[in-house]
Amino acid sequence: MINKAIFIYFAAVILLSAVLVITRKNPIHSVLFMLLLFFHIAGVFVVLNAEFLAAVQLIVYAGAILILYLFVVMLLNVETESKASRANRYWPWAAGFGLLVAAEIALLVARGTFPLDTAQPMRLGASGVKELGIVLYTRYLVPFEIASIILLVGLVGAVMLAKKRSSE
Amino acid sequence: MPDIYQMLNIVSSHVIPVVVLLVFLLINMMYLPYVERKVLAHMQSRLGPMRTGWHGLLQPIADAVKFLMKEDVIPAKADKWVFKIAPLIVLAMAFGAMVVIPFGPPPDSLGLLNKEAPLFVSNLNIGVLAILAFASVGAYGVIMAGWASNNKYSLMGGFRSAAQMISYELPMAFAIITVVLMAGSLNLSDIVKAQSERWFIISPVGPVVFFLYLISGIAETNRVPFDLPEAESELVAGYFTEYSGIRFGLFFMAEYTNMIVVSLLASIMFLGGWLPVQILPQTLGHIAPIAFINKMLAAIPPTLWLLAKLYLFIFFYIWLRATLPRYRYDQLMAVSWKFLLPLSLGTLLVAAGMKQMGWM
C-alpha cells in the first residue's frame, strides 16, 4: 500500500517533469527538470529494490551525461534561446509520430500487467550486483563487449575530432 | 499489542538513527569551523576566536545567529528559483551520503526491543555507489549556484568547480572500486569486516589506493590546495559570491558535511572503520604487556574509534590548509587527468591481478 503510494508519487513527478522538460523556454530549466526526472526514475528503481540500478542511473545519467548537457547549454545565450521559436516547419511530422507512439503506449498500458501489481519486486537485501555481473560476463558477454567497443570508438572519434593536425 | 511493538520498531530502526545523525551533523557543522579557526590560528602563532565565551567556545552560536539574522540578498537579475534551490541541493546531497555510513557494528547488548538498534540509518548493499551517486548530483548545486547568480565570477567559479568535481570523481571512483575489489563487497559494513585481519592501508596496493583516494577526496570537497572554485584572489568567493545570510550558511554547512563524508569513508575503507588499533596481534600478541595494551584498546567502544579516525582526517584537512599554497587551474586538471587517473587505472589492474592470483 505504502509502496504503491510512493510509486504513484514517483510516476507523477516523472510525467510532470518530462512535460516540463519540453515546455520550458529556458534551456537550463529544461536540463534541471531532466535532473528531477532522473532522480525520480532512480526512486522507482529503489521502490523495486533494485538499488544498484538506481545508483547507476544517478552516476551515469545524472552525474556524467546530463552535466555535459548542462555545460553545453550554459554556453548558449539564454536570452536568444528563450525567444527562439519552439517549432520549425517539420512540426506536423513530429506531432504525428508523437501521437502514434503515444497511442502505442496507451494500447500497451491498457493490455499489459504491471510488475508492481503481479510480480514480486527484487528480493530485499539482494543488491543484484553479483547476479548482474555473472550474467553480463557469461550469457551476455558478446553484447556487453560490443557495447564497450562502440563506446571506445566514440571516445577515439571525439579525440580525433578535437586533435589539432600538426602537419597541415 | 503488536501494533505498538511495530511502531516502536520503526521508531528504533528509522526515526532514532535519523535524529541522532542530524544532531551529530549539526553539532559538527557548528563546531568544525571553530575547531578549524582555532587549529589554524595556533599553527600560525595566533590565538583565533577568544572573545565569545571561554576561549571563544560560544563563537559558533554567535556565527549561527549572524547567519540567520542577516538579510538574504538575491541579485535582481538572478534566476530566483535556481538561485534559491542550489544551496539546498548541495546540502541535501551531502546529507544523503551520510545516510549510508555505518557508525559501528549493530550492538547486541541493547536488548530493550526485539530488534537491534542499528548504528546506521540505512544499511544499503550498494553503500559505496550511493555515496558516489550523491556526490555526482552535488556538483549540480554548485554549477546552478554559479549560473543563477548572473555574475561572471560566480559563473567562472561554478564552471571550475563542476569541471574539477567531474575530473576528480574518476580517480576517486577507481580508488573506491579497488577497495571494493579487495573487500569483495559494496556494503560499507562488509568492507570494515573484511579488514578485521589487516587494514587495507597496509595491504599490498593499499598505500597507493589510499593516496589516490585522499588526494581526489580533498579535491572533491574543494579544499586547499584544490580550492580553485573559490580562489578569492581571482574569483572573489567563486560560486557563492552572491549568496548571503543563511543561504551562504548552507553552502558552508555542506562543505563541512562533505569533509565529514570523505573522512568517514577514508576511515572506513582504509583504516578499518570502527576496528580498534592493535599492536601486531599476529606476531607479538602473545607477549603479556602488549596483549594487555591490545585488550585495553579493544575495550574502547567501536564508535569512538571511528570518530577518532574521522577527526584525525579532519585535522589533516586543516593542517593542509595551513601548509599548502593553491594549485593553478591547468595544473589541477593535469594532475587529475595525466597523473591520478592513469595511476588509479594501473592500481586497479594490479589489484585485480593480485586478487586473481590469491596474493591478497
Side-chain angles (χ1 to χ4, degrees), chain B residues 99-115:
Chain B
V99 162
V100 296
I101 288 178
F103 279 85
D108 21 23
S109 55
L110 260 131
L112 298 172
L113 299 152
N114 51 3
K115 201 179 162 196

Side-chain angles (χ1 to χ4, degrees), chain B residues 256-314:
Chain B
Y256 281 94
T257 313
N258 278 328
M259 269 167 74
I260 294 173
V261 171
V262 169
S263 306
L264 275 174
L265 211 54
S267 333
I268 286 174
M269 292 195 312
F270 298 100
L271 295 189
W274 55 77
L275 300 172
V277 176
Q278 298 276 285
I279 309 164
L280 298 170
Q282 277 97 1
T283 50
L284 296 174
H286 60 280
I287 304 170
I290 290 178
F292 179 70
I293 294 172
N294 277 350
K295 250 194 186 141
M296 291 297 284
L297 288 172
I300 299 171
T303 310
L304 287 187
W305 274 116
L306 184 62
L307 291 182
K309 288 164 188 171
L310 159 68
Y311 292 119
L312 189 76
F313 279 110
I314 300 278

Side-chain angles (χ1 to χ4, degrees), chain A residues 38-61:
Chain A
F38 286 156
F39 223 85
H40 283 77
I41 289 177
V44 172
F45 283 133
V46 171
V47 171
L48 294 169
N49 289 337
E51 296 150 356
F52 179 69
L53 286 182
V56 168
Q57 170 81 25
L58 283 186
I59 293 172
V60 174
Y61 285 97

Side-chain angles (χ1 to χ4, degrees), chain A:
Chain A
M1 186 57 218
I2 286 181
N3 263 9
K4 199 155 193 178
I6 295 172
F7 174 76
I8 288 170
Y9 159 73
F10 281 128
V13 176
I14 286 171
L15 286 179
L16 190 71
S17 45
V19 171
L20 285 171
V21 168
I22 52 173
T23 52
R24 290 293 88 192
K25 289 224 160 158
N26 188 330
I28 290 188
H29 292 174
S30 292
V31 173
L32 294 178
F33 277 114
M34 192 108 142
L35 175 66
L36 195 68
L37 174 82
F38 286 156
F39 223 85
H40 283 77
I41 289 177
V44 172
F45 283 133
V46 171
V47 171
L48 294 169
N49 289 337
E51 296 150 356
F52 179 69
L53 286 182
V56 168
Q57 170 81 25
L58 283 186
I59 293 172
V60 174
Y61 285 97
I65 295 176
L66 196 64
I67 206 150
L68 291 180
Y69 278 36
L70 198 60
F71 261 82
V72 174
V73 168
M74 277 185 180
L75 296 176
L76 303 174
N77 189 344
V78 174
E79 296 274 311
T80 53
E81 286 300 317
S82 304
K83 284 179 193 133
S85 78
R86 306 294 292 167
N88 59 14
R89 63 199 172 92
Y90 296 112
W91 75 266
W93 288 94
F97 280 114
L99 275 177
L100 198 66
V101 173
E104 276 176 18
I105 291 173
L107 196 69
L108 287 174
V109 167
R111 286 176 147 198
T113 51
F114 292 100
L116 211 65
D117 292 333
T118 55
Q120 285 291 311
M122 277 176 68
R123 194 158 37 85
L124 191 67
S127 55
V129 183
K130 196 175 172 187
E131 292 81 355
L132 202 66
I134 289 171
V135 168
L136 270 186
Y137 277 96
T138 53
R139 202 169 148 196
Y140 298 110
L141 182 63
V142 176
F144 180 71
E145 292 297 336
I146 290 175
S148 52
I149 286 174
I150 290 173
L151 286 176
L152 185 67
V153 169
L155 205 71
V156 173
V159 172
M160 280 308 292
L161 286 177
K163 203 176 162 192
K164 278 186 200 136
R165 304 235 172 91
S166 53
S167 57
E168 286 169 39

Side-chain angles (χ1 to χ4, degrees), chain B residues 14-84:
Chain B
H14 290 89
V15 179
I16 292 177
V18 169
V19 172
V20 171
L21 183 69
L22 266 182
V23 171
F24 169 78
L25 279 178
L26 288 174
I27 291 174
N28 268 293
M29 287 183 305
M30 278 178 83
Y31 271 89
L32 281 185
Y34 168 76
V35 170
E36 173 155 19
R37 289 173 70 181
K38 270 293 188 196
V39 173
L40 265 183
H42 283 278
M43 280 177 179
Q44 297 163 345
S45 297
R46 295 184 285 120
L47 285 174
M50 288 296 277
R51 300 292 172 101
T52 353
W54 183 76
H55 277 256
L57 263 181
L58 295 177
Q59 187 69 40
I61 295 167
D63 285 347
V65 170
K66 189 186 81 180
F67 276 142
L68 289 170
M69 302 296 285
K70 270 199 163 180
E71 188 190 351
D72 177 21
V73 183
I74 299 177
K77 287 233 169 169
D79 193 319
K80 301 236 164 29
W81 272 97
V82 181
F83 188 84
K84 283 180 183 169

